[in-house]
Amino acid sequence: MEDLKYQPVRYDVAAAIKKDLENEEFRKEYEALGPKYALIRELLEARKNSGMTQEAVASKIGTTKSAISRLEGGSQHAPSIATLRKYAEAVGCELVIRLEPKKKPADA
């Protein structure tokens, strides 16, 4: 048993995703999650830039830390525009929503 040593297994996440994206069903599901994760990145970046904690944001908009955690964690519940506006104001930002034309596939 002394010859059993912990040896981490190397795993290249980017390479795995690149390979998985070759599967059309996976690619469609992966791309469908893009806007959700873009919103999460925006929320986290705005709070980080404000220097506020989840508790501070929650206090400022009259909710709980767990509600802010769910919002930033991308729970199944879709936040309302009113909630996003309150969050934006609490972290010193302005909520901007825009629609952009779809990008055409490169092979089209």
Side-chain angles (χ1 to χ4, degrees):
M1 294 283 261
E2 290 181 16
D3 61 332
L4 296 178
K5 293 182 180 178
Y6 171 73
Q7 297 201 3
V9 176
R10 293 190 142 271
Y11 185 73
D12 185 343
V13 175
I17 290 174
K18 184 177 179 179
K19 182 179 183 304
D20 289 338
L21 287 172
E22 294 171 7
N23 176 307
E24 187 173 339
E25 185 176 341
F26 177 89
R27 183 182 49 75
K28 285 180 182 177
E29 293 296 322
Y30 183 85
E31 289 173 355
L33 292 173
K36 178 179 181 175
Y37 287 104
L39 173 60
I40 292 168
R41 279 191 302 276
E42 289 289 327
L43 294 172
L44 293 172
E45 186 68 21
R47 184 168 60 78
K48 176 184 156 196
N49 291 340
S50 75
M52 297 176 75
T53 63
Q54 288 181 336
E55 293 90 348
V57 174
S59 176
K60 198 163 183 179
I61 65 176
T63 191
T64 62
K65 177 196 174 291
S66 61
I68 298 301
S69 179
R70 284 190 304 273
L71 177 64
E72 293 178 350
S75 71
Q76 295 294 8
H77 172 73
S80 68
I81 292 175
T83 297
L84 293 173
R85 183 176 288 123
K86 287 178 188 176
Y87 183 100
E89 289 175 9
V91 297
C93 294
E94 179 181 347
L95 178 63
V96 177
I97 299 172
R98 73 175 174 262
L99 299 174
E100 294 181 357
K102 289 185 178 182
K103 295 181 175 105
K104 297 184 184 201
D107 57 14

